Amino acid sequence: MAEKYTKIKKIYEGKAKKLYTLKGKPGVLLQEFKDDATAFNAKKKGTILNKGIINCGLTTYIFTFLKKRGVKNHLVKQISPNEQIVKRLKIIPIEVVVRNIAAGSLLKKTNLKEGQQLSKPIVEFYYKDDAKDDPMINDSHALAMKLANEKELNTLRQTASKINSILKPFFLKRGLRLVDFKLEFGKDNKGTILLGDEITPDTCRLWDKKTNKKLDKDRFRFDLGGVNEAYAEVRKRIIGK
Ligand code: TMP
Ligand code: ASP
């Protein structure tokens, strides 16, 4: 018989997902993906058709792939088109961004031009705090705020680099250039750092290998049109439907 999951309490509602505790299952949470989309710290709001289902399916596929390649993560299993069971983590409030090609906020901070290949991936930390607009921070800032210790910061950097080296060829095989992406990590009840959150066109920049067409949330952020189609195209290339 299929296992039963009874939601008890919504403990978090973010811009793209909700998290619920479950009856009789203290170690795990139910993660529900929404169709809502926001950008620029929720100054821009909308919905993307089927985004919850697409992003849930993509995250399950990619987290399963990463686990097989030795990247520990929070995924237990997907239980419905837009719901997953995930291990309960204490999220480290640092967003880890990895960049392979210049785009987005990197263009404002540097003299690099959009589309320029970086000779070496750039890894950046951002302090996850909406009230402060998620500012970029360095290790000293993270240590001063006690967000993590030195060893943990190195684990975040090394794990993010490893994920990049796995996902770059993964996407390229499917006709997509992994321009940049954002990761979140958390600690389980033993203090082990696991990858959490999601990996989707909301959190990655993905460009078509041949045409460099943007197939990610930048279409929503900058009103480029064809948003629903771009998400559906990424799903087709990765999951095959
Ligand atoms: P950025 O160029 O705006 O700094 O974004 C870098 C990557 O991080 C890009 O793939 C989009 C992703 N991202 C998020 O997932 N959430 C965010 O809040 C922001 C600002 C970026
Ligand atoms: N997710 C973030 C927000 O709502 C930013 C973004 O993805 O552009 O503001």
Side-chain angles (χ1 to χ4, degrees):
M1 205 178 78
E3 206 169 342
K4 210 170 149 226
Y5 298 98
T6 310
K7 290 179 196 166
I8 304 179
K9 190 173 166 234
K10 185 167 80 182
I11 56 161
Y12 167 86
E13 176 155 8
K15 296 163 197 148
K17 297 186 294 296
K18 295 180 199 170
L19 286 173
Y20 296 89
T21 54
L22 292 166
K23 195 173 161 193
K25 300 185 188 336
V28 297
L29 297 172
L30 187 149
Q31 169 160 270
E32 182 188 316
F33 289 74
K34 308 193 288 183
D35 287 350
D36 298 347
T38 65
F40 314 117
N41 201 7
K43 287 182 200 68
K44 181 180 171 83
K45 289 192 176 118
T47 58
I48 298 176
L49 184 72
N50 287 331
K51 178 166 86 77
I53 292 175
I54 293 174
N55 282 358
C56 185
L58 284 170
T59 298
T60 298
Y61 193 95
I62 294 168
F63 276 50
T64 305
F65 186 85
L66 287 173
K67 190 176 174 194
K68 282 192 201 134
R69 276 150 190 81
V71 178
K72 291 188 268 273
N73 63 66
H74 73 164
L75 180 68
V76 178
K77 63 172 156 175
Q78 185 171 335
I79 55 160
S80 86
N82 72 331
E83 294 173 314
Q84 296 174 332
I85 301 301
V86 297
K87 285 185 193 147
R88 189 169 188 159
L89 302 182
K90 195 170 180 316
I91 289 289
I92 299 168
I94 297 175
E95 299 193 349
V96 185
V97 168
V98 183
R99 304 179 187 273
N100 297 305
I101 296 173
S105 68
L106 187 64
L107 308 178
K108 294 194 190 125
K109 295 185 185 107
T110 65
N111 66 358
L112 297 163
K113 298 278 174 290
E114 186 177 61
Q116 229 174 303
Q117 180 70 47
L118 303 172
S119 48
K120 189 172 163 247
I122 295 176
V123 181
E124 298 167 342
F125 291 154
Y126 290 82
Y127 176 36
K128 194 172 149 62
D129 184 336
D130 283 341
K132 295 196 188 300
D133 257 343
D134 296 350
M136 187 163 90
I137 56 169
N138 65 23
D139 284 38
S140 309
H141 297 126
L143 294 171
M145 290 187 278
K146 297 191 167 48
L147 306 181
N149 64 34
E150 243 163 293
K151 187 168 164 243
E152 289 164 347
L153 293 176
N154 287 329
T155 301
L156 298 186
R157 233 186 318 268
Q158 282 159 12
T159 311
S161 298
K162 176 174 174 171
I163 292 170
N164 187 44
S165 64
I166 297 169
L167 291 186
K168 244 187 350 177
F170 169 91
F171 282 113
L172 204 58
K173 248 191 226 163
R174 292 153 176 92
L176 296 164
R177 255 186 251 290
L178 180 58
V179 173
D180 55 35
F181 59 100
K182 185 260 310 182
L183 302 169
E184 293 186 27
F185 295 87
K187 287 186 199 170
D188 68 10
N189 53 10
K190 295 189 195 100
T192 306
I193 293 181
L194 308 185
L195 173 68
D197 197 48
E198 61 176 276
I199 297 183
T200 64
D202 275 10
T203 63
C204 301
R205 285 197 174 90
L206 300 167
W207 294 356
D208 180 78
K209 185 173 85 171
K210 288 204 191 104
T211 64
N212 280 335
K213 182 176 176 187
K214 295 179 165 76
L215 293 170
D216 56 59
K217 195 172 157 190
D218 272 350
R219 303 207 74 81
F220 170 78
R221 292 191 187 98
F222 303 108
D223 297 317
L224 303 178
V227 184
N228 304 338
E229 292 79 4
Y231 278 71
E233 178 64 24
V234 171
R235 169 162 67 180
K236 193 171 125 210
R237 293 198 194 180
I238 292 172
I239 308 178
K241 56 182 179 210

